[in-house]
């Protein structure tokens, strides 16, 4: 079989979106395979030789400039940071995925690949959902926890916060696909999956982050998806559902009561989840006030945190990250870091202004999840969470950019129901011999 450079470029160009589908499937269930698929996607994209053409398309996206700008600040912050070299290298590595935002958006310009990528993510999360319920009776070797029984934590991948975040988005995706399904069987299947995913968060997880994100995402979803009397019916159903869930879940009742107690006793500087976050934010704010414009530099939070807390125990407890991504970028990269990260978070909400109603549900629900989680966690610092938010930011940016706008005619904007044809011509298949 004879190959020339042009043929290799065509093969790489065709293989890159296929690897991206694999990355969307693997990252929720296997970090190692997710990284391999992600890096293969970037390499094949480069070898495909369409860098200039793709850049001319995606360079208008605020998400692209926010991601590249944040990574530029990470490198710039090295020049004035007083930080350990290991922490500096860790920041360069962890935030490196931001460089792939323009790559993913370009590859997702075709509605068919957007459909396949979201289907791959949904399939992976359905496997996680199946594992959650199977672990009630069986000790699954791939499960993170090994608890049997109802009403206890059944975290399968990562930690319960990360699993709840991705499961919350699965609820939104399943509801959206159910609304667009043609057959009653498909509608019932997707809506049943949504209900099971909800119960996996409320009754089979101990993460309070999941409770908050689920209620907020569902509230936004139903507010956007319904109008008039249907909206009030949907909100009443949601309120009744929340009441029933809380009353039937001792875990939620205990965790909520514990959260209230932890907030009330946060001044004691006890190491707790909610109380700890309150103290993280208070002490990190002292660092922000000291250098609000340019910050302390890349990787400096980890050392500077220990300068503002009194005890070695709290130094060790809080030096990993401040459980607030806005403060994390602000303390290290100043006002520019805060602004660029805010652009990245608010980009889906901005895109929703001109999107189709079907697209708005996902855009605004994802924005809600991203914003709230960034206020109480550091999602771009945590590995699996950063995969989720960067992958979905790229997917939603492509969905908003390459689908018809609200006031334009043509193809339906929602590709979750079925892939719309693309106006781009597919590259010619290379000769086999």
């Amino acid at each position: 079989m004879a190959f020339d450079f042009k043929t290799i470029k065509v093969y790489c160009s065709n293989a890159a979106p296929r690897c991206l589908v694999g990355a969307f499937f693997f990252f929720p269930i296997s970090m190692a395979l997710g990284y391999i698929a992600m890096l293969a996607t970037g390499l094949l994209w480069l070898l495909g030789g369409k860098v200039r053409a793709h850049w001319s398309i995606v360079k208008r996206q605020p998400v692209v400039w926010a991601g590249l700008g944040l990574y530029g600040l990470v490198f710039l912050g090295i020049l004035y940071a007083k930080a350990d070299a290991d922490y500096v290298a860790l920041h360069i590595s962890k935030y490196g995925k931001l460089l792939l935002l323009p790559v993913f958006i370009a590859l997702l310009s075709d509605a068919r690949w957007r459909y396949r990528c979201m289907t791959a993510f949904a399939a992976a999360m359905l496997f996680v959902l199946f594992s959650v319920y199977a672990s009630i009776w069986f000790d699954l070797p791939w499960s993170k926890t090994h608890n049997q029984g109802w009403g206890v934590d059944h975290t399968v991948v990562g930690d319960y916060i990360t699993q709840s975040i991705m499961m919350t988005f699965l609820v939104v995706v399943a509801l959206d696909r159910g609304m667009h399904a043609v057959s009653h069987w498909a509608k019932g299947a997707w809506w049943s999956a949504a209900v099971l995913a909800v119960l996996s968060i409320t009754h089979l997880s101990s993460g309070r982050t999941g409770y908050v994100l689920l209620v907020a995402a569902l509230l936004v979803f139903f507010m956007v998806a319904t109008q008039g009397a249907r909206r009030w019916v949907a909100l009443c159903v949601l309120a009744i559902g929340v009441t029933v869930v809380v009353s039937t879940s001792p875990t939620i009742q205990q965790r909520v009561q514990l959260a209230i107690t932890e907030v009330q006793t946060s001044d004691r500087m006890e190491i707790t989840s909610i109380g700890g976050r309150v103290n993280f934010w208070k002490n990190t704010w002292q660092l922000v006030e000291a250098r609000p414009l340019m910050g302390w530099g890349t990787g400096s939070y980890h050392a500077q945190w220990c300068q503002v807390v009194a005890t070695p125990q709290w130094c060790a407890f809080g030096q990993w990250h401040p459980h607030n991504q806005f403060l994390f970028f602000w303390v290290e990269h100043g006002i520019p870091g805060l602004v660029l990260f805010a652009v990245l978070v608010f980009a889906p909400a901005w895109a929703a202004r001109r999107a189709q109603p079907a697209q708005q549900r996902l855009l605004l629900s994802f924005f809600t999840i991203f914003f709230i989680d960034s206020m109480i966690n550091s999602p771009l610092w945590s590995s699996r969470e950063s995969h989720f938010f960067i992958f979905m930011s790229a997917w939603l940016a492509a969905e908003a950019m390459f689908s018809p706008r609200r006031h334009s005619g043509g193809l339906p904007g929602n590709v979750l129901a079925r892939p719309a044809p693309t106006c781009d011509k597919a590259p010619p298949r290379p000769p086999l011999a």
Side-chain angles (χ1 to χ4, degrees):
M1 183 179 293
F3 285 95
D4 56 22
F5 186 66
K6 185 176 181 180
T7 302
I8 293 175
K9 285 172 51 175
V10 173
Y11 270 115
C12 291
S13 182
N14 290 336
R18 290 172 171 80
C19 279
L20 185 57
V21 174
F24 269 80
F25 176 78
F26 285 123
F27 85 81
I29 56 180
S30 171
M31 289 294 294
L33 294 176
Y35 272 117
I36 292 172
M38 180 180 64
L39 294 176
T41 300
L43 179 60
L44 290 168
W45 177 78
L46 285 173
L47 294 176
K50 295 184 178 180
V51 176
R52 181 176 298 179
H54 284 169
W55 173 251
S56 67
I57 298 173
V58 303
K59 67 181 181 181
R60 295 170 290 173
Q61 274 288 334
V63 170
V64 170
W65 288 108
L68 297 180
L70 280 172
Y71 200 66
L73 288 178
V74 172
F75 266 94
L76 183 63
I78 298 174
L79 301 178
Y80 59 92
K82 296 180 179 180
D84 186 85
D86 290 338
Y87 278 124
V88 172
L90 191 59
H91 278 248
I92 293 173
S93 172
K94 280 185 172 290
Y95 294 131
K97 283 170 278 190
L98 291 167
L99 296 176
L100 291 173
L101 275 170
V103 178
F104 293 166
I105 294 173
L107 294 175
L108 291 167
S109 61
D110 189 327
R112 293 171 297 182
W113 290 114
R114 292 199 300 278
Y115 175 80
R116 292 162 185 166
C117 284
M118 187 55 71
T119 300
F121 169 78
M125 289 308 301
L126 288 173
F127 170 76
V128 174
L129 183 61
F130 168 81
S131 300
V132 167
Y133 283 94
S135 64
I136 296 174
W137 297 280
F138 306 101
D139 186 8
L140 303 178
W142 60 85
S143 177
K144 188 77 173 182
T145 57
H146 298 278
N147 303 321
Q148 278 72 60
W150 181 263
V152 296
D153 185 63
H154 290 277
T155 299
V156 176
V157 294
D159 55 54
Y160 56 79
I161 294 177
T162 305
Q163 180 171 297
S164 294
I165 291 169
M166 297 190 296
M167 198 65 72
T168 298
F169 194 64
L170 175 65
V171 172
V172 175
V173 171
L175 288 173
D176 190 80
R177 285 205 167 187
M179 293 179 67
H180 287 85
V182 177
S183 68
H184 294 296
W185 180 89
K187 287 181 182 290
W190 281 113
W191 288 342
S192 297
V195 171
L196 291 173
V198 167
L199 292 176
S200 75
I201 297 170
T202 59
H203 289 69
L204 299 173
S205 174
S206 59
R208 287 167 293 200
T209 299
Y211 309 154
V212 174
L213 294 180
L214 178 63
V215 173
L218 287 177
L219 177 61
V220 170
F221 183 89
F222 288 127
M223 286 290 291
V224 178
T226 56
Q227 295 180 351
R230 290 186 177 182
R231 175 175 295 173
W232 290 107
V233 171
L235 294 180
C236 289
V237 170
L238 178 61
I240 293 172
V242 171
T243 303
V244 171
V245 165
V246 172
S247 63
T248 60
S249 176
T251 301
I252 292 181
Q253 298 170 19
Q254 295 168 5
R255 297 288 285 172
V256 170
Q257 183 58 48
L258 180 61
I260 295 172
T261 302
E262 289 176 358
V263 171
Q264 293 173 342
T265 60
S266 62
D267 290 339
R268 300 177 187 175
M269 290 293 286
E270 296 176 350
I271 294 180
T272 60
S273 178
I274 304 300
R277 280 174 167 82
V278 173
N279 286 303
F280 287 152
W281 303 334
K282 287 180 180 178
N283 290 289
T284 303
W285 181 247
Q286 295 183 34
L287 295 172
V288 170
E289 286 184 311
R291 293 188 180 182
L293 296 180
M294 293 302 296
W296 293 84
T298 300
S300 57
Y301 166 82
H302 311 282
Q304 295 301 324
W305 163 262
C306 293
Q307 303 301 316
V308 297
V309 295
T311 63
Q313 187 180 22
W314 265 92
C315 170
F317 181 53
Q319 69 176 351
W320 186 237
H321 64 80
H323 284 77
N324 185 306
Q325 191 70 64
F326 290 98
L327 286 177
F328 204 0
F329 277 120
W330 197 353
V331 75
E332 292 200 338
H333 305 294
I335 294 294
L338 174 65
V339 171
L340 286 174
F341 180 64
V343 171
L344 187 68
V345 173
F346 280 85
W350 182 261
R353 297 175 310 117
R354 300 178 61 191
Q356 296 277 357
Q359 297 169 320
Q360 289 177 338
R361 293 193 288 269
L362 293 180
L363 287 165
L364 292 176
S365 297
F366 175 79
F367 157 71
T368 302
I369 295 170
F370 200 179
F371 176 77
I372 294 176
D373 191 50
S374 297
M375 293 294 292
I376 57 179
N377 292 303
S378 300
L380 295 192
W381 180 254
S382 302
S383 297
R384 200 182 302 267
E385 283 183 54
S386 67
H387 274 64
F388 169 75
F389 284 109
I390 288 175
F391 274 65
M392 294 307 159
S393 292
W395 191 95
L396 289 163
E399 171 71 354
M401 180 179 183
F402 298 111
S403 295
R405 302 293 177 89
R406 178 186 299 178
H407 299 296
S408 62
L411 301 171
N414 185 276
V415 299
L416 286 175
R418 61 178 183 274
T422 177
C423 59
D424 296 332
K425 293 183 179 180
R429 293 180 62 85
L432 296 179

